[in-house]
């Protein structure tokens, strides 16, 4: 764990998806009532939270409210901002009309297009103002509404660093901080998570003064923080529970830190919780070396991206059958 | 659903429509909660155990007697590392649980009973061989293969859609994990890791909270509700735990039936009052979840172990 020698490639645990049954119900009614045969992509919202248990990772979850509200139903779009267990992640859905259409989608091209959005938000500085755009997802689906089969495949586009980042050190945060620092970091992280203004902001800076006092700053305060001469950690809500690997959101964060601020030696904090509170035994602090990529000098260049989710280790889509809960006769009864 | 259950649901629905929600507190006398008390207790749960949050749910299913943004409580992605039948056998051998008030047929459990005679290993001490058998064979059966029509052709085989290697390029920075994502103390049954979404609604008829379970397998695919019963104490599966429509979420979900909740809560509160404690209503859900844990002992949701049930009467 601690003290990895130079040259170890930093490996990230892939994000995992989870779709609530309500999402498919919502998509079906959206398709029947509004989209019909329109295959235009639609913006959707996924939700995630820091890992909150030493045994399982958090997921990127889709719920009924992930879909745009149908304007016809008269209810205003609901926002769940400020819910600490539901940090918003912007996503895009390509729902096809046929199974053939689903399989023939240009998966590489779609992934590249989403990666380009992330890259542009990094270059333009938008990610500094709203860090939630650093993590995006892509969902392709085909809803077979005759058999109630839903075919789908998630991608979590991650910009590839070339050469990959290497790991200098990675250990539980509780071993990296002094006792006083750890106490102060825990306290300010809990405060950040309790405030409805910041609870769902997944990327932030932890600034530690020479007298062990920690404060949390948002990304846009980076320049100001630098002048303080404090120790700065780049922190993110880590959905991963593994003790030796950071989770997926750190990938684009590192690309951002390198491209935006040209930092080569990055100290990062994988923020994790237990029972809903900061847990520095589960949280990790690491130090990574990021080589600036020559190609990034070119304004037109977009880094490569990876991120299609595997299904039980295989490159296959997922499928769920919901005939028991979507049978038309039953829907008629419940609607009555 | 059996006919009597259907009839009761219809009756319950009618009563709920024509009666007003409880507004006067009868917490100490009857173990029930008023609507306001449910919100107070829910607020306290969310603040002490932040993995829980309030949900507004489907706007068409909203109950007017509850605040729009506080319709029900939910905690997601709760690990369940072992099937209950596997621990139940160990537990029973070690002393196990005893039924409280079996005469009344309440059927709630108290922990730390008398050790059972393990020598005999007779039929009645092994009440769940059937379920155990199922759990061994079908531990990773998910909704996609379990639900749906009988005909083979309707269950799509995803293997045939496997993409060529070039879709997912070899990337040295991607951790190559197996799809198993949880650490498991016993290596051999790593496949048994499940997660649950646990929600609490207010049941207007019984005037108590009601717990609902949505299960997922280890690759986070929805579990068929019948399989959820493997994670329910076998004394409760199919009796106090039933599979019904959730008042706010689509689909069938397993639920701890609330018909005995008030009686059990009253029994839990009585000794406190007798001991000079004044039980506080905002702690109701902690006590409630503590007793629900006897029904679903392997689903590790948060409810704080170290709460103080009430102020002492002297303060």
């Amino acid at each position: 764990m601690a003290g990895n020698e130079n040259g170890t490639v930093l490996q990230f645990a892939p994000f995992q998806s989870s779709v609530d049954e309500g999402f498919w119900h919502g998509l079906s009614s959206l398709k029947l009532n509004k989209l019909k045969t329109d295959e235009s992509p639609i913006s959707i919202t996924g939700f995630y939270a820091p890992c909150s248990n030493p045994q399982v990772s958090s997921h990127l979850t889709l719920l009924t409210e992930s879909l745009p509200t149908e304007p016809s139903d008269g209810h205003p779009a609901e926002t769940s901002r400020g819910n600490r267990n539901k940090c918003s992640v912007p996503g895009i859905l390509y729902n096809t009309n046929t199974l053939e259409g689903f399989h023939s989608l240009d998966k590489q091209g779609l992934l590249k297009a989403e990666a380009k959005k992330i890259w542009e938000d990094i270059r333009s500085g938008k990610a500094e103002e709203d860090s939630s755009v650093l993590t995006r997802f892509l969902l392709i689906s085909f809803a077979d509404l005759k058999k109630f089969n839903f075919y789908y495949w998630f991608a979590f586009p991650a910009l590839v660093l070339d050469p990959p980042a290497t790991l200098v050190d990675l250990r539980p945060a509780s071993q990296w901080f002094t006792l006083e620092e750890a106490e102060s970091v825990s306290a300010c992280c809990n405060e950040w998570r309790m405030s409805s203004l910041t609870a769902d902001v997944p990327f932030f800076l932890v600034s530690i003064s020479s007298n062990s006092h920690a404060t949390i700053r948002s990304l846009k305060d980076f320049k100001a923080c630098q002048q303080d001469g404090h120790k700065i950690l780049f922190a993110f809500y880590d959905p991963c529970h593994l003790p030796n690997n950071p989770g997926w959101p750190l990938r684009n964060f590192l690309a951002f830190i390198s491209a935006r601020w040209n930092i080569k030696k990055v100290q990062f904090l994988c923020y994790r919780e237990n029972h809903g509170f900061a847990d520095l035994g589960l949280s990790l602090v690491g130090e990574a070396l990021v080589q600036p990529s020559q190609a990034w000098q070119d304004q037109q260049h977009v880094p490569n991206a990876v991120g299609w989710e595997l299904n039980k280790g295989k490159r296959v889509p997922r499928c769920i059958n919901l005939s028991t809960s979507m049978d038309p006769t039953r829907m008629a009864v419940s609607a009555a | 659903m059996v006919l009597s259950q259907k009839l009761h649901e219809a009756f319950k629905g009618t009563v709920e429509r024509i009666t007003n929600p409880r507004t006067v507190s009868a917490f100490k006398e009857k173990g029930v909660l008023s609507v306001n008390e449910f919100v107070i207790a829910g607020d306290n749960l969310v603040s002490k155990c932040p993995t829980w949050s309030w949900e507004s749910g489907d706007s068409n299913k909203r109950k007017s007697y509850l605040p729009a943004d506080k319709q029900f409580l939910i905690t997601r992605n709760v690990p369940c590392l072992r099937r209950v039948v596997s621990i139940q056998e160990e537990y029973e051998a070690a002393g196990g649980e005893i039924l409280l008030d079996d005469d009344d047929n309440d059927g709630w459990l108290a922990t730390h009973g008398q050790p059972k005679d393990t020598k005999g290993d007779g039929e009645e001490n092994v009440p769940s061989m059937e379920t155990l058998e199922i759990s061994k064979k079908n531990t990773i059966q998910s909704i996609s293969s379990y639900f749906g029509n009988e005909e083979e052709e309707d269950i799509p085989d995803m293997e045939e859609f496997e993409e060529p290697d070039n879709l997912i390029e070899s990337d040295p920075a991607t951790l190559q994990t197996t799809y198993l994502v949880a650490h498991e103390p016993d290596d051999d049954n790593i496949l048994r890791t499940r997660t649950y979404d646990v929600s609490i609604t207010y049941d207007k008829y019984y005037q108590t909270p009601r717990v609902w379970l949505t299960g997922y397998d280890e690759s986070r695919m929805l579990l068929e509700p019948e399989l959820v019963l493997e994670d329910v104490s076998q004394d409760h599966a199919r009796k106090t735990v039933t599979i019904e429509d959730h008042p706010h979420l689509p689909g069938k979900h397993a639920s701890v039936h609330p018909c005995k909740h008030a009686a059990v809560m009253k029994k839990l509160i009585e000794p406190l009052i007798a001991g000079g404690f004044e039980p506080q209503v905002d702690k109701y859900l902690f006590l409630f979840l503590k007793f629900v844990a006897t029904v679903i002992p392997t689903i590790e949701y948060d409810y704080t172990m170290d709460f103080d049930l009430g102020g002492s009467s002297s303060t």
Side-chain angles (χ1 to χ4, degrees):
Chain A
M1 240 184 287
N4 279 304
E5 65 275 23
N6 285 346
T8 315
V9 171
L10 176 54
Q11 291 194 314
F12 307 85
F15 226 136
Q16 298 161 65
S17 68
S18 162
V19 187
D20 196 84
E21 203 177 341
F23 177 82
W24 299 122
H25 285 255
L27 178 63
S28 305
S29 89
L30 191 68
K31 175 140 183 70
L32 291 171
N33 300 328
K34 191 182 158 208
L35 302 176
K36 315 257 186 210
T37 57
D38 185 358
E39 286 192 338
S40 313
I42 43 180
S43 294
I44 57 175
T45 307
F47 303 100
Y48 95 104
C51 165
S52 66
N53 193 289
Q55 280 131 344
V56 291
S57 290
S58 295
H59 301 78
L60 187 286
T61 304
L62 294 190
L63 306 169
T64 316
E65 70 226 57
S66 296
L67 290 160
T69 356
E70 293 172 55
S72 56
D73 69 5
H75 293 284
E78 307 202 10
T79 84
S80 53
R81 274 210 73 92
N83 184 329
R84 54 178 284 134
N85 297 321
K86 290 200 299 198
C87 308
S88 300
V89 178
I92 194 156
L93 167 66
Y94 289 83
N95 185 53
T96 62
N97 288 324
T98 61
L99 189 56
E100 293 69 35
F102 174 78
H103 289 302
S104 62
L105 283 173
D106 173 14
K107 297 185 187 63
Q108 264 325 25
L110 295 179
L111 183 71
K112 260 190 168 326
E114 294 313 297
K116 188 162 183 262
K117 290 180 193 167
I118 296 169
W119 184 241
E120 281 168 356
D121 287 341
I122 288 174
R123 299 300 290 243
S124 73
K126 187 180 173 194
E128 215 171 299
E129 296 294 322
D130 176 11
S131 66
S132 71
V133 298
L134 283 174
T135 306
R136 281 182 182 273
F137 72 97
L138 161 68
L139 174 63
I140 58 171
S141 68
F142 163 60
D144 179 349
L145 298 183
K146 291 195 181 78
K147 291 173 180 165
F148 308 104
N149 281 333
F150 297 85
Y151 299 79
Y152 65 101
W153 204 336
F154 274 85
F156 303 102
L159 303 171
V160 173
L161 297 175
D162 182 25
T166 54
L167 196 58
V168 180
D169 185 20
L170 183 69
R171 60 178 101 175
S174 53
Q175 293 176 20
W176 197 84
F177 293 118
T178 66
L179 273 179
E180 286 126 319
E181 286 172 346
E183 224 165 80
S184 184
V185 168
S186 287
C188 66
C189 285
N190 283 329
E191 201 181 310
W192 179 265
R193 294 280 290 146
M194 286 297 176
S195 159
S196 62
L197 294 174
T198 53
D200 59 356
V201 178
F203 298 92
F204 52 95
L205 306 169
V206 175
S207 158
I208 300 169
S209 70
S210 51
N211 65 359
S212 302
H213 181 72
T215 43
I216 296 193
R217 310 286 294 267
S218 61
L219 297 187
K220 63 175 191 292
D221 295 336
F222 177 68
K223 291 274 184 272
C225 282
Q226 253 186 329
Q227 286 157 12
D228 295 344
H230 294 171
K231 195 155 52 177
I232 298 176
L233 289 163
F234 297 90
F236 72 104
Y237 291 172
D238 190 356
C240 174
H241 73 283
L242 299 172
N244 297 319
N245 296 88
W248 207 245
L250 181 58
R251 299 195 71 157
N252 293 337
F253 197 25
L254 286 182
F256 166 79
I257 293 162
S258 172
R260 185 81 186 155
W261 296 319
N262 197 26
I263 297 168
K264 295 183 184 72
K265 195 167 154 190
V266 180
Q267 285 181 326
F268 58 86
L269 167 67
C270 308
Y271 175 76
R272 301 170 181 181
E273 298 180 336
N274 199 6
H275 300 300
F277 295 97
D279 186 323
L280 296 192
L282 285 176
S283 299
L284 306 174
V285 172
E287 192 172 310
L289 294 178
V290 184
Q291 299 298 324
S293 168
Q294 287 307 312
W296 290 11
Q297 305 300 324
D298 174 7
Q299 290 296 317
Q300 303 306 314
H301 176 80
V302 178
N304 273 340
V306 292
W308 284 99
E309 185 179 30
L310 298 180
N311 179 6
K312 299 186 177 169
K314 295 205 170 73
R315 297 176 188 90
V316 293
R318 290 167 194 253
C319 181
I320 187 166
N321 182 287
L322 294 178
S323 55
T324 42
S325 65
M326 297 183 103
D327 184 279
T329 52
R330 279 215 34 213
M331 285 172 78
V333 169
S334 65
Chain B
M1 222 190 291
V2 287
L3 182 65
S4 61
Q5 205 180 333
K6 269 187 182 160
L7 284 173
H8 180 70
E9 285 301 309
F11 166 73
K12 185 169 172 283
T14 311
V15 174
E16 283 182 352
R17 272 193 294 279
I18 58 174
T19 53
N20 290 320
R22 172 170 284 279
T23 49
V24 181
S25 178
F27 161 58
K28 277 174 274 182
E29 297 75 26
K30 293 178 178 167
V32 298
L33 274 189
S34 72
V35 173
N36 280 343
E37 288 171 332
F38 175 67
V39 174
I40 290 166
D43 284 343
N44 197 31
L45 177 67
V46 168
S47 80
K48 298 284 188 332
C49 302
T51 48
W52 288 90
S53 28
W54 282 109
E55 290 276 324
S56 50
D58 185 343
S59 56
N60 298 316
K61 293 181 177 173
R62 248 167 236 167
K63 314 290 179 208
S64 56
Y65 48 83
L66 283 165
D69 59 343
K70 294 181 179 177
Q71 293 281 306
F72 65 103
L73 295 148
I74 196 162
T75 178
R76 291 194 169 85
N77 201 34
V78 178
C80 176
L81 301 180
R82 309 174 71 184
R83 300 295 71 78
V84 79
V85 284
S86 71
I87 65 155
Q88 200 141 18
E89 285 173 352
E90 291 167 23
Y91 199 45
E92 277 175 14
E97 300 167 320
I98 51 161
L99 287 171
L100 270 179
D101 281 17
D102 214 11
D103 298 344
D104 301 351
N105 209 15
D106 274 7
W108 297 116
L109 297 171
T111 50
H112 312 301
Q114 297 298 311
K116 285 192 181 169
D117 181 12
T118 48
K119 280 178 291 178
D121 202 25
E123 284 293 303
E124 55 210 306
N125 267 352
V126 194
S128 47
M129 282 314 284
E130 233 182 67
T131 329
L132 186 65
E133 200 62 26
I134 292 167
S135 77
K136 274 182 181 159
K137 281 186 194 151
N138 296 342
T139 41
I140 58 163
Q141 197 157 24
S142 63
I143 199 167
S144 53
S145 57
Y146 197 98
F147 269 16
N149 305 335
E150 298 295 312
E151 302 146 53
E152 275 294 309
E153 55 181 319
D154 281 347
I155 301 161
D157 178 13
M158 289 295 109
E159 303 284 318
E160 64 184 87
F161 303 132
E162 184 151 3
E163 290 284 335
D165 285 3
N166 60 11
L167 172 62
I168 295 154
E169 21 188 320
S170 65
D171 168 47
T174 300
L175 180 67
Q176 304 296 320
T177 50
T178 56
Y179 69 96
L180 305 169
V181 291
H183 286 303
E184 181 74 12
D186 315 315
D187 291 343
D188 63 316
N189 59 5
I190 194 161
L191 287 176
R192 298 185 186 189
T193 299
R194 292 174 174 176
T195 53
Y196 276 90
D197 293 349
V198 182
S199 56
I200 304 174
T201 59
Y202 181 73
D203 192 285
K204 195 179 159 201
Y205 179 82
Y206 292 106
Q207 302 170 3
T208 61
R210 178 169 189 170
V211 165
W212 300 83
L213 305 170
T214 314
Y216 300 86
D217 71 10
E218 74 290 343
S219 55
R220 199 62 191 179
M221 295 296 280
L222 205 54
L223 273 183
E224 201 273 336
E226 284 288 317
L227 293 176
V228 170
L229 295 179
E230 294 175 352
D231 294 317
V232 171
S233 147
Q234 293 306 295
D235 298 294
H236 297 297
R238 290 185 180 79
K239 285 177 236 155
T240 43
V241 176
T242 52
I243 293 159
E244 291 175 50
D245 290 325
H246 192 286
H248 300 279
L249 301 169
K252 292 278 182 195
H253 302 255
S255 169
V256 185
H257 201 274
C259 55
K260 297 286 199 293
H261 284 3
V264 172
M265 288 304 289
K266 189 166 182 289
K267 279 203 180 71
L268 292 173
I269 294 163
E270 269 168 357
L272 295 172
I273 297 173
F277 286 95
E278 180 74 10
Q280 291 174 355
V281 79
D282 66 343
K283 311 272 170 55
Y284 188 102
L285 284 174
F286 299 121
L287 196 58
F288 175 73
L289 287 172
K290 196 177 159 79
F291 113 74
V292 167
T294 62
V295 183
I296 45 173
T298 56
I299 301 180
E300 301 171 8
Y301 58 81
D302 289 341
Y303 59 95
T304 70
M305 303 291 286
D306 53 345
F307 61 89
D308 177 12
L309 280 171
S312 81
S313 57
S314 58
T315 54

